């Protein structure tokens, strides 16, 4: 195996996957100097910060001393000099996807979880990926194959690959991920990995060009997934798969989030989501049926409705299983 493919980065002090003294993944251990934490202000405002004794975080809630964080457990609520607070969360792949730097369009949690499930990725698997991009999926793949599996990810853009290496190093994943600079559409995957992969993931403009190489990399009964934003790409990819793959299926994941909170019906109907129309409500029993007696407002009600900003189409996921040799 060539040096570029085999090279593994040294793990830095930052750690996305905290480990205890037995080298097992653990988010129950206490935060240490040098750890990476996700500072949670609210659901739409989070940031990744390296804990450095002597440093401070300043935001609208006040000044937070990093030294106060050391020794706390992940999930702890910490206070500023003004009495404001934030939460210190473990840097899971799910949260990292929400705070990472976007160098390209990324896959989010709904697509990522579906990919890992349908590729049948478990600890110890060897996974190949082409286009690394911002590393959102790669991070979750690394967690899924840990502690003894490995992810080989490739990107044709050298600077993106360099940035991805830096991210995996600072998040403590470089022992699980190898990043290569390679045009998979034109050159295919390295021959050294032939027949070794449990699964392959493609996020390429012309994935059909890489399918023959992907088939050579897979073990018998291995699974291939291709992510494409356009249905025309899916059609051509599926046609190319037919010669060497079976069980070809395409999915589109549409995520609909609901807001659940306590309040009065008028509060829900009067805000910006009121265009959704009147919400269903239970009939109230009246002492005089058909009378014009005004209903009592009663206590607040817990109500649910779709959020006003629904996430639409991201792309199509096409899965196929390598045909077994007879």
């Amino acid at each position: 195996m060539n040096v570029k493919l085999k090279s593994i980065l040294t793990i830095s002090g930052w750690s996305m996957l905290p480990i205890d003294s037995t080298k097992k993944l653990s988010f129950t251990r206490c935060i240490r100097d040098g750890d990476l934490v996700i500072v949670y202000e609210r659901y739409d405002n989070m940031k990744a910060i390296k804990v450095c004794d002597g440093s401070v975080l300043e935001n609208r809630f006040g000044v937070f001393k990093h030294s106060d964080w050391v020794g706390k457990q992940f999930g702890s609520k910490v206070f500023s000099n003004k009495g404001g607070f934030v939460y210190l969360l473990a840097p899971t792949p799910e949260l990292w996807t929400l705070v990472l730097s976007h160098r390209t369009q990324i896959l989010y949690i709904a697509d990522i979880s579906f990919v890992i499930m349908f590729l049948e990725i478990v600890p110890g698997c060897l996974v190949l990926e082409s286009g690394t991009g911002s590393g959102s999926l790669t991070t979750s793949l690394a967690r899924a194959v840990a502690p003894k599996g490995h992810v080989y990810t490739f990107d044709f853009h050298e600077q993106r690959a360099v940035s991805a290496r830096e991210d995996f190093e600072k998040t403590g994943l470089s022992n699980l991920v190898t990043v290569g600079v390679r045009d998979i559409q034109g050159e295919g995957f390295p021959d050294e990995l032939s027949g070794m992969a449990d699964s392959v993931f493609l996020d390429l403009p012309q994935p059909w060009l890489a399918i023959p190489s992907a088939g050579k990399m897979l073990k018998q009964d291995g699974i291939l997934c291709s992510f494409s934003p356009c249905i025309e790409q899916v059609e051509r990819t599926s046609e190319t798969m037919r010669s060497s793959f079976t069980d070809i299926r395409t999915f589109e994941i549409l995520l609909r989030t609901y807001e659940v909170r306590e309040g009065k019906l008028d509060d829900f109907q009067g805000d910006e989501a009121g265009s959704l129309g009147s919400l269903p409500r239970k009939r109230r029993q009246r002492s005089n049926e058909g009378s014009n007696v005004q209903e009592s407002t009663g206590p607040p009600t817990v109500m649910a409705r779709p959020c006003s900003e629904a996430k639409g189409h991201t792309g199509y996921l096409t899965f196929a299983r390598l045909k077994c040799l007879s």
Side-chain angles (χ1 to χ4, degrees), residues 81-233:
N81 61 328
K82 295 181 179 179
F85 63 87
V86 295
Y87 293 94
L88 305 178
L89 303 182
T92 62
E94 291 81 4
L95 292 178
W96 182 250
T97 289
L98 300 178
V99 301
L100 58 76
S101 299
H102 286 209
R103 295 179 288 273
T104 59
Q105 182 65 32
I106 69 170
L107 268 68
Y108 288 95
I109 295 170
D111 287 321
I112 291 173
S113 57
F114 199 86
V115 166
I116 291 175
M117 177 67 73
F118 270 74
L119 285 181
E120 301 177 2
I121 298 174
V122 296
C125 280
L126 189 149
V127 180
L128 304 185
E129 177 193 24
S130 178
T132 311
S134 301
S136 174
L137 174 63
T138 317
T139 300
S140 289
L141 293 176
R143 198 262 304 270
V145 303
K148 294 184 179 181
H150 203 81
V151 178
Y152 291 92
T153 182
F154 301 89
D155 202 294
F156 76 94
H157 193 283
E158 186 170 1
Q159 186 53 54
R160 281 206 296 262
V162 170
S163 297
R165 285 193 189 103
E166 292 172 353
D167 280 351
F168 299 139
E169 184 177 6
K170 71 185 182 184
T171 54
L173 295 178
S174 55
N175 63 325
L176 295 169
V177 180
T178 298
V179 183
V181 179
R182 191 178 179 93
D183 178 11
I184 299 300
Q185 288 185 169
E187 304 175 55
F189 290 97
D191 292 336
E192 294 88 342
L193 295 172
S194 181
M196 296 175 58
D198 295 284
S199 55
V200 175
F201 180 85
L202 303 176
D203 184 357
L204 299 169
Q206 297 175 296
W208 52 89
L209 297 178
I211 288 174
S213 175
K216 294 177 183 178
M217 300 301 110
L218 286 167
K219 297 176 180 178
Q220 287 299 307
D221 206 37
I223 306 174
L224 169 65
C225 175
S226 176
F227 175 86
S228 298
C230 302
I231 195 64
E232 293 80 8
Q233 294 169 301

Side-chain angles (χ1 to χ4, degrees), residues 15 17-27 29 32:
S15 178
L17 302 173
I19 55 176
D20 60 19
S21 57
T22 64
K23 301 297 182 181
K24 293 182 179 179
L25 300 180
S26 172
F27 289 120
R29 73 161 177 79
R32 303 167 185 164

